[in-house]
Amino acid sequence: MSSRVHIARPASGGYQPDPHGFANSRPSSGYRAANPDDPIEKIRAFARTAEDQIDIYTQPLKPHLPAVGRFLIVVTFLEDSLRIVSQWGDQLWYLQKHRHFPWGLSHLFLALNVVLMLAGSGAVITKKHTEYAVGGLLSVVIMQAVGYGLIFDLNFFLRNLSVIGGLLMVFSDSMYTRKTLFAGLPTLSETDRKKYFLLAGRVLLIFLFIGFAFRGKWSIGRAFVSLVGFAACTMVAVGFKAKWSAAFLVLVLSIFNVLINNWWSVHSAHPQRDFLKYDFFQTLSIVGGLILLVNMGPGGLSVDEKKKTY
């Protein structure tokens, strides 16, 4: 039996360029190359180029972002603990006179807050026992909201939601694999836990900007900044271009924090000074949470991550 394959030739003996009929003269309905003259495609190309350039020039900063973010997140707790110690008598007077705390309970309340804030902040900065540190700082947020009677203050409530979001970002950043405590029971993996905490953290972070947008007098400039900021907040919440929208919010909040909450320009005896200082350091904490988001990315439950999959 011969191994040679017989190839049929056309009867006319001429050259046939496609003897097997593989060519298809019909236009393809599948993927087509992008049109470089399309305005949307030009914007995408510019955005990709800008992202590449920013990545190149910010490389020296990236190793320091987690430490900066963690420090900024707890700076409001450090400032608050210093204020309680330096204004101990005034704090006791307020709790006993206006909040009707018994004499011993008011002292215990303030001392517990100071200890938890200092210990928790130190643990977050050094990345030691982060789970316990975040739990302690969360308990401080709740205790102060109830103890000082600010739980129904909308601005305080929104700001503290953002602070909680920053603490959840710290928890996600420091999450590690733990052994299962109860064998045989269904548990979430480290990756699953981290993506859910990241989702909750980035959603809670944007509440500060919502509070800012609805506070104060309106103007054309304020309306424009609020609109652009709301768009960036939405992108952070859904995880679309989350790193760049979070970086934009870091820039905007930092500028407005210096311009609006400039407590250093107010006389030390003026009552408004303490309120401005409180707002200033709380905003710094939320900026720290956004910096951690820039460093870590939005996580698995985000549009950015789904785009990689599909």
Side-chain angles (χ1 to χ4, degrees):
M1 184 175 180
S2 174
S3 61
R4 183 179 299 173
V5 179
H6 175 70
I7 301 177
R9 297 182 179 274
S12 60
Y15 173 71
Q16 186 175 354
D18 184 30
H20 301 290
F22 289 147
N24 188 358
S25 59
R26 293 177 297 176
S28 173
S29 59
Y31 174 79
R32 294 184 181 181
N35 181 11
D37 296 326
D38 186 2
I40 297 179
E41 193 59 34
K42 287 182 178 180
I43 295 174
R44 288 176 179 170
F46 174 78
R48 285 193 294 267
T49 303
E51 289 178 4
D52 291 340
Q53 293 297 317
I54 292 173
D55 277 335
I56 292 171
Y57 288 107
T58 57
Q59 279 295 334
L61 297 175
K62 287 186 176 180
H64 307 290
L65 288 181
V68 173
R70 289 195 303 272
F71 174 76
L72 289 179
I73 284 172
V74 299
V75 74
T76 187
F77 297 102
L78 294 173
E79 187 275 332
D80 199 24
S81 61
L82 178 62
R83 176 176 14 195
I84 290 176
V85 172
S86 61
Q87 300 176 357
W88 187 267
D90 294 335
Q91 297 283 336
L92 287 175
W93 177 84
Y94 177 81
L95 290 175
Q96 294 171 11
K97 182 71 174 179
H98 295 277
R99 299 300 299 161
H100 309 294
F101 273 56
W103 182 84
L105 185 59
S106 59
H107 289 72
L108 179 62
F109 176 81
L110 293 179
L112 183 60
N113 272 269
V114 171
V115 170
L116 286 175
M117 287 190 288
L118 290 178
S121 298
V124 166
I125 292 172
T126 59
K127 298 187 71 173
K128 300 288 182 65
H129 308 292
T130 306
E131 290 181 332
Y132 299 107
V134 169
L137 294 176
L138 284 174
S139 67
V140 168
V141 173
I142 297 171
M143 279 195 302
Q144 291 194 356
V146 176
Y148 287 99
L150 298 171
I151 193 168
F152 296 112
D153 183 284
L154 180 60
N155 183 45
F156 178 86
F157 180 72
L158 293 176
R159 282 178 171 274
N160 277 277
L161 282 181
S162 291
V163 171
I164 292 172
L167 291 174
L168 291 180
M169 298 301 291
V170 169
F171 185 77
S172 302
D173 181 53
S174 303
M175 190 169 285
Y176 57 91
T177 306
R178 293 180 301 176
K179 293 181 179 180
T180 305
L181 296 178
F182 302 100
L185 294 179
T187 57
L188 287 173
S189 67
E190 178 192 357
T191 304
D192 289 334
R193 290 197 304 269
K194 186 171 183 177
K195 69 183 182 182
Y196 286 119
F197 278 112
L198 277 171
L199 173 62
R202 70 172 193 262
V203 170
L204 290 176
L205 277 173
I206 68 173
F207 280 97
L208 171 72
F209 197 91
I210 295 174
F212 161 78
F214 290 100
R215 189 182 63 173
K217 296 180 180 180
W218 281 92
S219 63
I220 296 177
R222 184 186 182 87
F224 175 76
V225 172
S226 297
L227 183 62
V228 175
F230 182 74
C233 288
T234 303
M235 292 169 68
V236 166
V238 301
F240 175 67
K241 295 292 182 183
K243 286 188 176 184
W244 306 110
S245 51
F248 171 77
L249 288 176
V250 166
L251 179 63
V252 171
L253 287 175
S254 299
I255 293 173
F256 275 86
N257 197 28
V258 172
L259 295 178
I260 296 175
N261 297 323
N262 52 347
W263 55 270
W264 53 88
S265 65
V266 180
H267 193 273
S268 58
H270 198 288
Q272 189 67 17
R273 181 184 173 95
D274 274 349
F275 289 104
L276 290 175
K277 185 188 287 189
Y278 175 78
D279 286 349
F280 178 83
F281 284 101
Q282 270 214 325
T283 304
L284 281 184
S285 293
I286 292 139
V287 167
L290 290 168
I291 288 175
L292 285 185
L293 177 58
V294 171
N295 180 68
M296 290 188 294
L301 298 176
S302 63
V303 175
D304 289 344
E305 195 65 27
K306 296 303 180 185
K307 285 170 65 177
K308 295 178 184 177
T309 305
Y310 300 105

